[in-house]
Amino acid sequence: MNIKILVATHKQYWMPTDSVYMPIHVGRAGKSDIGYIGDHTGDNISEKNANYCELTGLYWAWKNLEADYIGLVHYRRYFTRKEVRSVEDKKNQILTGEEWETLLSQYPVVVADKRKYYIETNRSHYNNAHHSEGLDVAEQIIAERYPEYSAAFTTVCNRTWAHMFNMFVMRRDLYNQYCEWMFSILAELEMRVDISGYDAYESRIYGFVSEILLDVWLEANRIEYKEQNVSFMEPQNWVKKGSAFLFRKIGWKNKNR
């Protein structure tokens, strides 16, 4: 079983040594070499990284990488066995190639554990955190081009949980199908939404929208998946996160994030 899990990064950082993990320098076009494979070779959209985020790595893998299973994690976020406190302990909890083989022999897709919002839906959370037109226009595109996905889009937007971070590992045939569908929607979204007035954070619109699209695709196609714990490899400021959430709920957005 040939498994390749991209570790999206834009700088040098600690990386797992297991051979299933493949560090990839996303947004490599025009940047200095940092010692990792770049997403700027072959068929690529590396120059769109500021707007597509880690998706430039997913696109590169779709067009250029040979593997039976392809996935994505981040240099600071990994699929792990369980949540532990220290960073060193978290490193030891990262799933190994052998564990991935066991998981993927049972499930065609592995995604991040649900992120639960409890008091708001995916749509209200998106609208509170971002410009609403990104999701609104994506909904229009789906209705026009993929109407069979419209019901799933509504279902996912009305949920109070989601599989976030664009983190997954997926069987190659499903990966191809997902990328074809997802990138076609985002390409159309690029043509319809004017982001020239967006700040640097909101300009990552395509990465934000795609987090919702993953669940829409899974829901519409009734894909069986396994949820897996995700660990953030650095300490998080929960006070700051909680404050940001409350500010969003009362309608204030920090444009300097």
Side-chain angles (χ1 to χ4, degrees):
M1 186 183 290
N2 183 7
I3 305 166
K4 288 299 177 188
I5 302 173
L6 306 181
V7 184
T9 188
H10 57 85
K11 62 181 181 179
Q12 286 190 329
Y13 204 80
W14 174 88
M15 294 288 171
T17 57
D18 194 297
S19 62
V20 298
Y21 294 102
M22 179 179 149
I24 183 165
H25 183 176
V26 292
R28 170 68 174 83
K31 305 286 177 42
S32 300
D33 182 12
I34 59 173
Y36 305 133
I37 291 173
D39 64 354
H40 64 312
T41 61
D43 188 347
N44 74 87
I45 56 170
S46 181
E47 75 285 350
K48 295 184 178 184
N49 180 257
N51 309 123
Y52 274 74
C53 311
E54 63 277 351
L55 297 182
T56 61
L58 282 182
Y59 185 96
W60 179 87
W62 175 36
K63 296 296 186 178
N64 301 286
L65 187 61
E66 293 294 329
D68 301 323
Y69 292 82
I70 296 177
L72 175 80
V73 296
H74 304 261
Y75 71 101
R76 294 185 297 178
R77 283 193 191 95
Y78 290 88
F79 289 110
T80 54
R81 297 178 206 101
K82 62 181 181 180
E83 191 58 45
V84 292
R85 284 178 177 266
S86 78
V87 172
E88 286 307 312
D89 287 341
K90 288 178 180 180
K91 290 177 181 178
N92 292 328
Q93 290 295 322
I94 294 172
L95 295 185
T96 66
E98 185 176 344
E99 288 170 320
W100 277 115
E101 287 198 16
T102 299
L103 265 179
L104 295 170
S105 66
Q106 301 173 63
Y107 302 94
V109 178
V110 175
V111 294
D113 267 344
K114 292 183 180 73
R115 183 172 186 175
K116 299 177 182 178
Y117 298 116
Y118 298 106
I119 62 173
E120 62 178 352
T121 65
N122 286 323
R123 182 156 223 148
S124 65
H125 178 267
Y126 187 97
N127 291 346
N128 286 330
H130 311 295
H131 295 299
S132 61
E133 62 183 334
L135 207 55
D136 292 343
V137 175
E139 183 175 27
Q140 294 168 9
I141 294 167
I142 287 173
E144 295 168 14
R145 292 193 165 196
Y146 303 102
E148 67 275 20
Y149 284 82
S150 287
F153 187 93
T154 300
T155 295
V156 169
C157 283
N158 288 336
R159 284 177 181 162
T160 56
W161 56 266
H163 302 108
M164 303 301 286
F165 315 125
N166 281 317
M167 286 178 61
F168 60 79
V169 180
M170 197 178 292
R171 200 175 66 208
R172 182 62 196 239
D173 61 319
L174 297 176
Y175 182 82
N176 289 345
Q177 293 167 28
Y178 173 61
C179 287
E180 184 72 44
W181 178 81
M182 185 258 294
F183 281 110
S184 70
I185 293 170
L186 298 184
E188 184 65 22
L189 188 63
E190 270 194 90
M191 292 191 287
R192 298 192 189 188
V193 177
D194 179 10
I195 67 170
S196 59
Y198 285 16
D199 63 21
Y201 180 76
E202 290 302 332
S203 292
R204 294 154 60 184
I205 174 176
Y206 311 114
F208 296 143
V209 169
S210 66
E211 289 183 295
I212 300 295
L213 294 183
L214 174 59
D215 274 339
V216 173
W217 185 79
L218 292 170
E219 174 74 19
N221 292 291
R222 300 181 180 180
I223 304 294
E224 183 183 15
Y225 59 80
K226 168 74 166 60
E227 294 176 341
Q228 189 64 34
N229 186 66
V230 170
S231 291
F232 192 71
M233 307 306 290
E234 295 178 349
Q236 298 195 70
N237 188 333
W238 292 109
V239 172
K240 182 178 179 181
K241 282 179 171 288
S243 298
F245 171 77
L246 291 174
F247 280 130
R248 288 198 303 267
K249 289 302 291 179
I250 62 174
W252 182 84
K253 296 180 183 179
N254 179 6
K255 293 302 183 181
N256 297 314
R257 282 174 299 189

